[in-house]
Amino acid sequence: MMDPAERKMRFVYAIRSKGVTDARVLGALEKIDRGAFVRGIFAERAYEDMPLPIACGQTISQPSVVGLMTQALEVSPRDKVLEVGTGSGYQAAVLSLLARRVYTVERHRRLVREARAVFEALDLVNITAVTADGSHGLPDQAPFDRILLTAAAEDPPSPLLAQLRIGGIMVLPVGQSDTVQSLIRVRRTEDGLDYEELRPVRFVPLIEGLGQE
Ligand code: SAH
């Protein structure tokens, strides 16, 4: 068994080799223990650069993809961030080290419950996890400086675009599920919205309504 320091060094190195170069993002990935967000037989693979199954038939994203999305979001310390698709809570935890406040929304209440327990255990006090259909955003807390979706929609949901502050950035995968999706970045300017296509990705679909458990 590798010692934890070497394991962590290799973990960060693998992520860096996939194009994550932002020092703050790499620092956050180094600090947040991915092993805390993966259970059972998959826990031992937490430090490999691959997606892994979590409860409710969902997945925790590949760490290099978490890094690339976080980097693309250009988060600064004063930002209020909305994440749609809490899943394991790993992405929200990484964001919480870079932002002022993170709201994360998930349609499965079980995942929200489990993620909250991990946030508490890691003493991440600036994250609020909410059970809701994130395609409607979080109108009570809007506007947001940054919005990140970790589930793929066919198009950027318009309620989310409406909840993005001027100067704000939204990063999301778009496309049909099970085909190639594109990670896109949307910037809200004074004049409207600028779209940029970043890279091909593959995410679970954004599904309307609440989950069964
Ligand atoms: N960010 C997660 C990975 C999430 S996988 C992590 O770091 O582990 C995508 C998640 O989006 C799944 O948990 C899925 O249940 C959730 N999801 C899908 N559609 C949703 C919706 N409309 N509202 C909120 N969450 C949704």
Side-chain angles (χ1 to χ4, degrees):
M1 176 95 182
M2 220 185 286
D3 82 273
E6 182 175 358
R7 197 175 60 189
K8 181 136 277 187
M9 204 182 75
R10 287 183 188 223
F11 176 75
V12 174
Y13 185 82
I15 293 169
R16 186 200 297 260
S17 73
K18 300 277 175 63
V20 181
T21 52
D22 184 300
R24 289 182 70 232
V25 174
L26 287 168
L29 288 161
E30 193 178 335
K31 283 197 199 82
I32 300 293
D33 180 10
R34 189 167 183 252
F37 296 86
V38 184
R39 305 205 194 303
I41 55 166
F42 296 106
E44 65 191 48
R45 317 199 71 170
Y47 307 100
E48 294 175 32
D49 189 23
M50 53 164 68
L52 293 170
I54 56 170
C56 303
Q58 304 303 315
T59 51
I60 176 172
S61 311
Q62 190 175 343
S64 59
V65 172
V66 170
L68 289 166
M69 289 176 81
T70 306
Q71 181 168 276
L73 202 59
E74 299 175 8
V75 182
S76 60
R78 291 160 122 174
D79 287 345
K80 181 167 72 170
V81 181
L82 172 65
E83 181 200 22
V84 175
T86 310
S88 67
Y90 178 62
Q91 171 76 72
V94 170
L95 289 169
S96 77
L97 298 188
L98 302 169
R100 176 170 55 87
R101 171 116 229 128
V102 177
Y103 291 89
T104 181
V105 183
E106 166 60 54
R107 61 189 288 277
H108 289 289
R109 49 188 114 248
R110 176 178 168 189
L111 292 176
V112 171
R113 204 167 50 232
E114 292 183 359
R116 276 186 192 142
V118 183
F119 299 151
E120 206 165 302
L122 299 183
D123 207 22
L124 302 173
V125 297
N126 62 337
I127 310 176
T128 304
V130 181
T131 305
D133 177 352
S135 50
H136 304 300
L138 218 48
D140 290 353
Q141 303 300 337
F144 297 95
D145 302 291
R146 300 288 184 267
I147 300 179
L148 179 63
L149 278 80
T150 61
E154 280 186 37
D155 294 298
S158 47
L160 291 175
L161 290 172
Q163 290 172 30
L164 189 60
R165 195 191 296 281
I166 291 175
I169 298 177
M170 173 155 111
V171 170
L172 74 160
V174 292
Q176 313 277 338
S177 61
D178 292 338
T179 61
V180 179
Q181 305 153 359
S182 286
L183 189 66
I184 65 165
R185 174 162 54 195
V186 185
R187 291 176 198 269
R188 175 176 287 289
T189 67
E190 296 276 357
D191 311 319
L193 299 166
D194 285 346
Y195 292 82
E196 207 181 329
E197 203 171 313
L198 302 177
R199 64 196 312 269
V201 283
R202 193 160 171 189
F203 278 86
V204 300
L206 188 72
I207 298 173
E208 281 187 28
L210 292 186
Q212 299 287 349
E213 54 170 348

